[in-house]
């Protein structure tokens, strides 16, 4: 089965911010993934995702745990076309 969902932690165009967050997430035991996309102006935006899940409920559980432990807003995103 193909993973359909991920938890997005942050999106930024600043490589230093992304590197710092990836390193932090690894110290917390997460396996972060960096996804690069282009915004409407052609700038590269990097998104950090934690986990890839087949079921929305599994991604939501990770999202809730992350919010509770890190006190940061995150959300579940659908991985359409990936």
């Amino acid at each position: 089965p193909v993973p359909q969902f991920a938890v997005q932690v942050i999106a930024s165009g600043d490589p230093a911010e992304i590197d710092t967050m990836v390193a932090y997430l690894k110290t917390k035991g997460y396996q972060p993934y960096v996804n690069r996309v282009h915004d409407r102006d052609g700038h590269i935006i990097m998104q950090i995702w934690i986990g890839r899940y087949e079921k929305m409920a599994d991604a939501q559980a990770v999202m809730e745990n992350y919010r509770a432990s890190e006190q940061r807003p995150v959300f579940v995103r659908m991985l359409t076309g990936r």
Side-chain angles (χ1 to χ4, degrees), residues 12-24:
S12 175
D14 179 0
E17 182 179 20
I18 293 296
D19 291 345
T20 299
M21 182 58 89
V22 165
Y24 173 77

Side-chain angles (χ1 to χ4, degrees), residues 9-65:
V9 176
I10 191 173
S12 175
D14 179 0
E17 182 179 20
I18 293 296
D19 291 345
T20 299
M21 182 58 89
V22 165
Y24 173 77
L25 290 168
K26 286 180 179 179
T27 69
K28 294 292 189 172
Y30 293 103
Q31 295 180 329
Y33 301 89
V34 178
N35 183 54
R36 289 168 177 78
V37 296
H38 290 88
D39 68 11
R40 292 181 185 172
D41 297 325
H43 300 109
I44 295 175
I45 302 296
M46 293 160 280
Q47 305 164 331
I48 299 178
W49 301 340
I50 52 175
R52 293 178 181 163
Y53 307 94
E54 293 174 32
K55 298 178 183 175
M56 172 75 114
D58 294 338
Q60 286 176 320
V62 170
M63 176 189 72
E64 293 300 328
N65 288 337

